[in-house]
Amino acid sequence: MSKAGIILAAGQGTRMKSALPKVLHQIAGLPLLGHVVAAMRGAGVDRIVVVTSPSGDAVRAYAASLACESVVQDQQLGTGHAARAAEALLRDFDGTLVIANGDMPLVLADTINECLKAQARTGLAMLAFQASDPAQYGRVLLTPDGFLNRIVEYKDASEPERGITLCNGGCYAADARKFFRWAAALKNQNAQQEFYLTDVPSIARTDGVNCAIAVADETSVLGVNSRSELAEAEEKFQQRMRARLLADGVGMTAPATVYFAYDTMVDADAYIEPFVVFGPGVTIRTGARIRSHSHIEGAEVSTGAIIGPFARLRPGAKIGEGAHIGNFVEVKNAVIGPGAKANHLTYLGDAVVGAGANIGAGTITCNYDGFTKALTEIGAGAFIGSDTSLVAPVKVGAGAITAAGSVITRDVAPDALAIARGVLTEKPGWAKAFREKKQKEKK
Ligand code: UD1
Ligand code: MG
């Protein structure tokens, strides 16, 4: 049976109090919407329609970047109304629909698969979960035989109903043709005067179709409606990621202090010290050690390399096997050869550093003239003296040495010594004479 998805993402997200649409807020460096799309794709849902608001250009652009289609919901009249907006594109689709809120970033492919399995039993299913704090989730009432009786939204619920802890997870699966027929019958007679998607199962029941329930764990259906729920989702995502990496053999002294991006790849037997932050696009190979307080994004760290403490790797940093990048060293768009070392206070931007080169403290690649970026090439085994400024484009040949404090403005031949600094003049006794003169003047 072919599958299509609808992701509801047209709500204003007013509780976020943000100019950014809610579904573009990020968890682990990926917008909420991206997490839901990834889970759906993982469950084999290839065609996905994202429902957006008229002002949702940024959401539509992001959806397109994920190869999703989008539709506009003219007015935000509720989740049922939103799902109906997708009918414009899916009218002729004859298969199973998965419908999910765009604000549930912790959903997994497995969670959606459970919903699909339940759907196969009756033709309609939803995800429910036991909430430790049911907050404002819709409350789920079951029939004696375990099907959904109805969902009561928090704002419509009586006090006893609010005491129910089985809640609606915001993900549904249904036969597509039937779903659109049921959704067309939705009414908005409720506290919010909205067309609730959650009323579809009651309509289906009058059509002789029971709504089956798949019970998900609370974490995977967490809904993000406010900044505090966003922070809670981030923490839960991090806990899940840390647990997975530890199980895969990654070493961490204090996992709770390490923050990963959604796509961070770390091999077994790499080690991460406390207080390290990863942005998107990072691969860490086995035997590498990331020392405390390092910040790493868009970078590859090869086997046995040592990064930090207090290092910053920016996009395009490729650190070779056994290389060392030490404290207060920033690397951007630069390939650092195997065994090369830049241990202190250095900026390497737009550079290629050969194997075994040694970059002295305070070395700076002057890669930007305010208009363009230029390349610095340092040959294998070169020794860059402390406080060297390399004015790019420039090449220092293999095995060459630059004298400390040099400003290198043209290429240096292999194995040469380049000195480019003021010549030291020494005036014997000058300082003492100066002090004596000044003291006399003071009296
Ligand atoms: C919804 C459910 C609730 C469930 C909870 C799970 C309804 C009526 N309520 O409540 O039962 O427990 O999710 O997280 O469905 N949206 C639109 N157009 C609209 C309104 C909303 O696209 O007109 C989108 C939002 O962008 C959001 C999703 O639908 O991604 C859910 O809307 P939201 O306002 O977050 O609903 P909840 O109050 O969380
Ligand atoms: Mg919500």
Side-chain angles (χ1 to χ4, degrees), residues 7-13 15 22-23 51-53 73 75-83 100-104 129 134 136-139 151-155 167-172 192 194-199 221-225 229:
I7 300 179
L8 310 181
Q12 303 298 349
R15 288 168 277 180
K22 177 167 77 174
V23 295
V51 182
T52 63
S53 77
Q73 181 193 15
Q75 281 179 289
Q76 277 54 73
L77 300 180
T79 49
H81 184 261
N101 290 350
D103 65 354
M104 45 190 304
F129 67 104
Q136 304 213 352
Y137 288 106
R139 305 303 201 256
I151 299 170
V152 188
E153 285 307 302
Y154 175 79
K155 287 186 176 144
C167 291
N168 171 20
C171 178
Y172 319 81
Q192 306 190 78
E194 286 186 358
F195 296 91
Y196 292 160
L197 182 54
T198 50
D199 287 342
V221 292
L222 189 133
V224 171
N225 302 296
E229 285 169 350

